[in-house]
Amino acid sequence: MPHRLLRASMAGCFNADGYFFQQTLGRPLMGTPHSHDFYEMICVLSGSCVHSVNGAETRCAEGDLFFLRPSDLHALGGQTEGTNVAALSVIPSEVEKFLCAYGLSDDPALSGAPPTDAPPHVRLHSGERTALGALCDRLFALPAAERTPLCRVLLGEVFAAIIKGRDQSESAVPPSFAALLAEMNQPVNAAGGVGVFLRLSNFSHAQLCRLTRKYLGMTPRDYVNTVRMKYAWELVVSSEESYEAICEAVGFSSFSYFCRLFVKTYGITPAKARKSRSPGARTI
């Protein structure tokens, strides 16, 4: 019964696109174990608390990020004074489109099926925590009806952190280089290109090439273009900006090159990507 009541109480909180965002800002956390029929991304922005998921407890600190799947049984409690937790709740159809777009539909750790293991959990580095906290503050200041674009950006950042966290565990990316990559994932830095990448890194071009090939398997230029394409996709499917304006916003001077790279990355033109979105449940 408590689970059914929770779902009923949440029904009116989601906006028209299926998103609900909140920050606890020091208020008492819900200590009763409960599950959802939606996905929920939880990040501790300040303070600490205890997070119990599927019977396992974790003492969480600033930067702990969880991706909760439908039917995960969880509870938050044991918080210290001033603890602030951000939570982004998303209906399954929105998350499933993102999973499909990134080839993660068959990933058991991200599935909405009844889970038997722990949900994805990563700890953000200092630079990542700062950036995510700033994004959450911008989002919190908006009226609920206007939050969808930034909710989608936040959802993308959560998935990027999860994927990068897996890659880090496999390739032992140094924390300093991971922090640099987090900086380059900011739209303004990505738009600045390899020049900004070099400036932020304080490396020589040869050293930066060596590190990106070692830990990312690509050149600095390829990495920057990958980040640019992430933001290009978001702008194409979630705005009415002209394709030329989007090309310029993400840092390309050649529109023809931008279009070729978009097709190479996503398999469709920007026009087809925009046309394929469905009202009320746009592709992430």
Side-chain angles (χ1 to χ4, degrees):
M1 180 63 70
H3 299 173
R4 194 173 304 141
L5 287 175
L6 175 64
R7 293 190 182 111
S9 67
M10 288 290 292
C13 295
F14 289 93
N15 69 12
D17 296 299
Y19 292 92
F20 175 60
F21 177 77
Q22 57 184 317
Q23 290 191 50
T24 61
L25 301 172
R27 67 170 167 78
L29 301 171
M30 182 180 294
T32 304
H34 60 279
S35 62
H36 309 288
D37 52 6
F38 47 84
Y39 289 85
E40 190 165 65
M41 280 55 72
I42 293 176
C43 185
V44 180
L45 299 180
S46 63
S48 66
C49 61
V50 175
H51 192 198
S52 173
V53 189
N54 301 333
E57 286 192 353
T58 301
R59 165 56 72 173
C60 300
E62 294 179 13
D64 275 304
L65 174 67
F66 293 84
F67 178 86
L68 297 175
R69 305 149 299 189
S71 300
D72 274 319
L73 187 67
H74 81 118
L76 290 165
Q79 69 196 82
T80 57
E81 185 177 357
T83 295
N84 185 21
V85 178
L88 177 66
S89 304
V90 190
I91 61 174
S93 61
E94 281 283 302
V95 175
E96 287 159 8
K97 289 175 183 178
F98 190 97
L99 292 172
C100 180
Y102 281 82
L104 297 171
S105 297
D106 297 324
D107 189 324
L110 302 173
S111 169
T116 58
D117 58 350
H121 167 216
V122 296
R123 175 162 290 179
L124 304 177
H125 296 294
S126 176
E128 296 171 316
R129 293 199 302 269
T130 300
L132 193 74
L135 177 58
C136 287
D137 287 342
R138 287 171 57 202
L139 185 51
F140 192 72
L142 292 173
E146 299 175 14
R147 287 179 174 176
T148 293
L150 279 187
C151 280
R152 288 187 171 127
V153 172
L154 179 56
L155 181 60
E157 290 300 315
V158 169
F159 272 92
I162 291 171
I163 293 169
K164 186 168 66 176
R166 291 175 173 179
D167 292 341
Q168 287 174 351
S169 64
E170 294 170 359
S171 58
V173 176
S176 59
F177 190 59
L180 170 61
L181 297 181
E183 287 292 310
M184 279 307 298
N185 262 274
Q186 298 303 307
V188 65
N189 291 334
V194 176
V196 171
F197 203 0
L198 282 167
R199 178 174 58 79
L200 291 174
S201 72
N202 289 318
F203 298 146
S204 68
H205 188 270
Q207 186 179 11
L208 184 61
C209 286
R210 181 180 63 81
L211 289 171
T212 55
R213 285 190 182 278
K214 179 179 180 179
Y215 295 114
L216 305 175
M218 62 181 74
T219 66
R221 176 187 174 91
D222 288 340
Y223 173 71
V224 168
N225 283 344
T226 296
V227 178
R228 285 169 164 177
M229 281 294 104
K230 177 179 71 173
Y231 289 110
W233 176 272
E234 172 65 25
L235 290 170
V236 165
V237 302
S238 300
S239 77
E240 300 299 333
E241 289 286 335
S242 71
Y243 305 125
E244 290 82 1
I246 291 172
C247 168
E248 182 178 353
V250 298
F252 291 102
S253 58
S254 170
F255 182 64
S256 61
Y257 178 69
F258 165 78
C259 290
R260 288 198 303 272
L261 188 58
F262 193 97
V263 171
K264 180 180 178 181
T265 303
Y266 297 112
I268 56 176
T269 65
K272 287 185 177 179
R274 178 168 287 177
K275 187 177 180 181
S276 68
R277 66 187 181 184
S278 57
R282 299 169 184 165
T283 302
I284 292 171

